[in-house]
Amino acid sequence: MKRLFLILMSVLLCSISKSEDTPHRNGLRFTDYTFPLKGDVEQIEILGFTINTDNGKEYPTDTTLIKFNQNGDVTYIYPYEDLTYTDVVLPTELYFLYNDSGYNTIIREIVDTGFGDLIYETHYTYNDDWQKTRGEEYNDKGALLHTEEFIYDSQGHLTTEKHIKGNDLVIYVYDADMNVIYIEEYYEGRLFSKMNRTYDAGGNIIQETLYCSNRFDEMELRSTETYFYDENGFLYSRESKSPIPEMFLKYSKDSRTETTDSWTYKCDAYGNVIEKISYVTDTSCPRYRTEYRISYR
């Protein structure tokens, strides 16, 4: 089954100045750092660990490096993993190229197959107001693989983003603060999933509701995620509740009608997440730990 884009879109379209509060950074949505990011960040090293639930011992799994320029935008990701259309992961580098005015014009993906590199490039075009209007991805033979379209309202705010690949379509809808509030995914012209997101006055995501199509082409609630923040607005926990399908409830002796997954977080002085711990479903046993080592200029 093709996987849902569980990503928080973070596109910097106009700002080219360095800021201590940069909520929308170009390229961040391609990374595994799925949180708002503040401060003059130079790089993030992401370290993953699995935890033995019997003795608490940790085992390293993978490491990802993300680099940023002085405008706050991503310039490099390694390894980059795109599981949207395939489960096969090869060592991949992702480069973001910017013009002299600080706008992202090309994303270059270099895939090491073991028998030579495959190179993919996405080229972006802008209108006279320097609003990103279109993206086109090509392989190294010049074949067009997928397109991106960006739609704005009369005030110049980005309202809709469309990603098109053959008969597959993903639509992102934004609010006036550049928060993604709605996502729809279509595969082979069929609505596969839809997601709603709500935010507080500070722009923090507080709830995410996911619906997926069942075998009758009906949209069913798949999960509801709730985010919790402290008095400073720093994320400290998240909870996801998923209904147990009726066909399983019929044969289950368990009285539960839903399962619960949970995560806890630690933040630094900027409010940036520096640690995430995932727990075994319906227990308080830690199962995975992710460390985000953030370096500032």
Side-chain angles (χ1 to χ4, degrees):
M1 181 180 292
K2 295 175 180 177
R3 304 187 183 202
L4 177 67
F5 288 163
L6 294 179
I7 50 177
L8 181 58
M9 302 287 287
S10 303
V11 183
L12 179 63
L13 296 174
C14 300
S15 174
I16 62 172
S17 60
K18 182 174 67 178
S19 171
E20 289 302 304
D21 185 3
T22 311
H24 305 292
R25 298 169 184 257
N26 188 80
L28 192 62
R29 70 179 179 88
F30 291 88
T31 76
D32 290 331
Y33 195 87
T34 57
F35 319 98
L37 186 61
K38 299 180 180 180
D40 188 6
V41 177
E42 183 173 19
Q43 71 174 36
I44 302 176
E45 189 177 15
I46 304 176
L47 289 78
F49 303 88
T50 60
I51 303 174
N52 186 316
T53 55
D54 293 328
N55 57 23
K57 187 174 181 179
E58 292 187 346
Y59 300 89
T61 55
D62 48 57
T63 301
T64 300
L65 179 64
I66 308 166
K67 294 184 178 180
F68 300 80
N69 62 23
Q70 291 186 342
N71 297 329
D73 298 326
V74 175
T75 60
Y76 179 77
I77 305 169
Y78 182 81
Y80 168 67
E81 296 182 5
D82 181 4
L83 301 178
T84 305
Y85 298 102
T86 178
D87 290 331
V88 178
V89 178
L90 297 172
T92 302
E93 295 179 288
L94 205 62
Y95 293 87
F96 296 79
L97 283 66
Y98 299 85
N99 64 15
D100 292 340
S101 298
Y103 295 96
N104 178 216
T105 54
I106 297 175
I107 296 177
R108 180 172 296 138
E109 182 178 346
I110 303 176
V111 182
D112 181 3
T113 67
F115 303 97
D117 292 342
L118 295 176
I119 299 177
Y120 303 88
E121 284 194 348
T122 301
H123 293 252
Y124 291 101
T125 56
Y126 295 79
N127 60 22
D128 292 339
D129 296 322
W130 282 107
Q131 295 169 324
K132 187 182 290 184
T133 57
R134 185 174 175 84
E136 295 180 340
E137 182 189 27
Y138 297 88
N139 63 17
D140 50 10
K141 296 180 180 179
L144 179 63
L145 302 180
H146 95 271
T147 61
E148 303 171 19
E149 298 177 3
F150 303 85
I151 302 170
Y152 301 83
D153 63 18
S154 59
Q155 305 299 315
H157 298 130
L158 179 64
T159 61
T160 309
E161 183 173 344
K162 297 181 180 181
H163 290 237
I164 305 165
K165 185 169 186 176
N167 293 324
D168 299 340
L169 169 67
V170 183
I171 301 174
Y172 302 88
V173 178
Y174 293 83
D175 64 14
D177 296 317
M178 284 283 292
N179 297 313
V180 174
I181 57 174
Y182 194 72
I183 304 172
E184 279 188 348
E185 284 191 293
Y186 295 84
Y187 292 117
E188 300 299 328
R190 168 177 168 262
L191 179 62
F192 173 73
S193 69
K194 59 182 181 180
M195 178 183 289
N196 298 314
R197 288 176 176 159
T198 56
Y199 301 80
D200 63 18
N204 296 313
I205 183 171
I206 55 175
Q207 192 169 84
E208 185 175 83
T209 307
L210 173 64
Y211 297 84
C212 292
S213 177
N214 62 19
R215 58 193 180 97
F216 303 109
D217 281 343
E218 300 169 334
M219 300 306 293
E220 291 184 340
L221 177 64
R222 183 62 55 88
S223 65
T224 300
E225 296 197 358
T226 306
Y227 296 73
F228 302 93
Y229 301 85
D230 64 17
E231 64 276 7
N232 296 314
F234 294 0
L235 179 66
Y236 69 86
S237 70
R238 173 166 60 108
E239 186 177 77
S240 178
K241 292 185 177 294
S242 302
I244 299 175
E246 290 187 11
M247 60 180 297
F248 293 111
L249 290 174
K250 285 182 180 180
Y251 305 102
S252 175
K253 296 180 181 180
D254 198 323
S255 61
R256 295 178 305 165
T257 59
E258 63 182 12
T259 59
T260 301
D261 294 308
S262 58
W263 298 261
T264 59
Y265 301 89
K266 289 182 181 178
C267 296
D268 64 13
Y270 286 91
N272 293 328
V273 172
I274 56 175
E275 183 184 68
K276 176 179 70 174
I277 297 178
S278 307
Y279 295 85
V280 178
T281 302
D282 291 321
T283 75
S284 58
C285 298
R287 185 68 180 89
Y288 302 99
R289 187 174 74 86
T290 305
E291 193 174 318
Y292 305 95
R293 297 182 179 176
I294 303 176
S295 299
Y296 298 90
R297 286 187 180 86

